[in-house]
Amino acid sequence: MNAPGLKMKERFRLSRFVRGEKASPDPVILNHRRIFILPTRRGLGFAFLATLLFFIGFVYNNNPVYLLAFLLAGIFFLSTVHTFRTLAGLVIREGYGKPVFAGDTAAFPIHIDNPTSLLRPQIRIEGQPETELTLPPESRSQIFVHRTAARRGWCEAGPITLCSTFPLGLFRAWSPLRFNMKILVYPQLAEAGVPLPPLSAGPDRDGVGRQGSDEFYGLKNYSAGDPVRRIHWKAYAKGYGVLSKQYRGGGSGELWLDFDETPGGGTEERLSRLCRWVLEADQAGLRYGLRLPGNRIMPADGAQHRQSCLEALALYPL
């Protein structure tokens, strides 16, 4: 939840009004300390009109004009409270964002809880106009903050500002927040068309030397990470459970994806090619390993192995 308190120097630090307080993994409750409010351009014009009417009423001693001026002033100050209450009490939590490839858009999920009985309309994420939402009483919603993942590595969400100008647009209330949210960015995918390197002559997954081409030799219980294409659907239809077909020979041979032997004019170009090859090898159901300078991942297959290889490529030193 919110930090217990701020020192006086931290409380008046200008960056707190723009970037928010220190990042925290805990849910954040929006309160008077985290919500700031200022009149909008429309609000300043509205205040000027009310002031002008007041002086007109004063000069001409006109009671109806006085009444109109005080009515506008009352609306002006009352909207301050309503704008503040649109954000006050909301609970904001960070979510988990899925990895993306360089050049794609990273989506950071934000969970917003409205534990009160108040309707919270016109809530937006600054810079994300498509995120405007209305929270019914005692409801929960999720919105996404989008950032362009320009290069591989970690993409951080940075400061996220919730704001609202409800109900009349005279005031803008905002709350800058920071979380430790980051999304892993894989290298940019190279164009398809370059064939995979030849399979190595090493042993297959069961330690049996490769002999000839694909040869089916048995079934085993399906385990997480087994390629879907190897599921024995006929056995499943007959009620024998989910089984995976096992092969020996060239079709299950090991493949080494070696940085030093990858075509490309530079580091990023080679990493992009390796990234493409990892996906193609995984889709083909091959056992493959990855060799990078200073890092080697032994041959395996499955979703977890694919994730390990892509992560190694993403975090290769820039």
Side-chain angles (χ1 to χ4, degrees):
M1 295 295 176
N2 288 323
L6 292 177
K7 297 179 180 177
M8 189 61 69
K9 183 178 179 182
E10 295 175 332
R11 189 173 290 273
F12 289 98
R13 183 175 295 166
L14 289 179
S15 62
R16 195 168 73 88
F17 299 88
V18 180
R19 297 180 53 83
E21 299 177 8
K22 293 180 180 178
S24 169
D26 300 324
V28 174
I29 300 177
L30 302 189
N31 55 21
H32 65 282
R33 198 183 83 190
R34 289 185 176 271
I35 299 175
F36 310 106
I37 186 167
L38 281 176
T40 62
R41 184 177 299 178
R42 181 189 298 178
L44 291 175
F46 194 90
F48 176 77
L49 176 62
T51 305
L52 181 63
L53 288 174
F54 175 79
F55 280 108
I56 291 175
F58 178 76
V59 170
Y60 293 100
N61 196 22
N62 190 311
N63 289 334
V65 176
Y66 267 135
L67 178 62
L68 180 59
F70 287 125
L71 178 63
L72 293 181
I75 294 174
F76 182 78
F77 290 112
L78 195 60
S79 65
T80 309
V81 178
H82 284 280
T83 305
F84 174 82
R85 291 180 65 184
T86 304
L87 299 182
L90 296 179
V91 181
I92 316 298
R93 293 180 292 114
E94 64 182 13
Y96 172 75
K98 296 180 180 177
V100 297
F101 294 96
D104 293 344
T105 299
F108 296 89
I110 301 292
H111 303 280
I112 305 179
D113 297 347
N114 178 18
T116 69
S117 58
L118 297 175
L119 178 70
R120 311 301 183 102
Q122 298 179 16
I123 297 174
R124 296 186 290 109
I125 299 290
E126 193 171 71
Q128 313 270 321
E130 71 282 3
T131 59
E132 182 171 307
L133 78 159
T134 296
L135 282 172
E138 299 178 352
S139 65
R140 176 176 299 176
S141 183
Q142 175 180 269
I143 56 177
F144 290 90
V145 177
H146 298 97
R147 301 277 190 260
T148 300
R151 64 179 186 178
R152 64 181 174 84
W154 291 109
C155 176
E156 297 185 352
I160 297 169
T161 302
L162 264 70
C163 61
S164 178
T165 57
F166 180 81
L168 300 176
L170 302 182
F171 286 89
R172 174 178 175 269
W174 78 95
S175 180
L177 304 170
R178 281 194 288 174
F179 296 101
N180 295 313
M181 287 195 301
K182 54 185 181 180
I183 285 179
L184 187 61
V185 181
Y186 303 142
Q188 189 171 19
L189 274 179
E191 294 289 335
V194 178
L196 290 166
L199 299 177
S200 70
D204 64 16
R205 70 180 65 187
D206 295 305
V208 180
R210 294 189 295 111
Q211 299 175 3
S213 59
D214 294 329
E215 180 186 354
F216 173 77
Y217 76 95
L219 298 170
K220 73 176 185 68
N221 290 327
Y222 176 83
S223 58
D226 286 350
V228 176
R229 61 198 294 264
R230 292 192 177 182
I231 294 177
H232 197 293
W233 294 108
K234 290 184 179 179
Y236 178 75
K238 293 179 180 178
Y240 294 112
V242 183
L243 303 174
S244 291
K245 291 181 279 190
Q246 300 295 291
Y247 294 88
R248 74 176 74 185
S252 59
E254 293 177 349
L255 171 68
W256 277 103
L257 305 177
D258 195 321
F259 178 87
D260 293 330
E261 298 177 3
T262 301
T267 299
E268 296 304 320
E269 192 175 347
R270 291 186 180 188
L271 293 176
S272 295
R273 175 56 53 196
L274 289 170
C275 191
R276 169 66 70 178
W277 280 349
V278 166
L279 296 184
E280 292 180 350
D282 178 74
Q283 192 171 18
L286 299 173
R287 283 173 58 82
Y288 59 95
L290 180 64
R291 287 197 191 101
L292 297 172
N295 188 12
R296 184 171 68 167
I297 299 177
M298 296 304 292
D301 57 11
Q304 187 172 357
H305 179 64
R306 180 192 62 208
Q307 174 64 24
S308 299
C309 292
L310 291 176
E311 185 173 326
L313 294 172
L315 300 179
Y316 185 77
L318 294 170

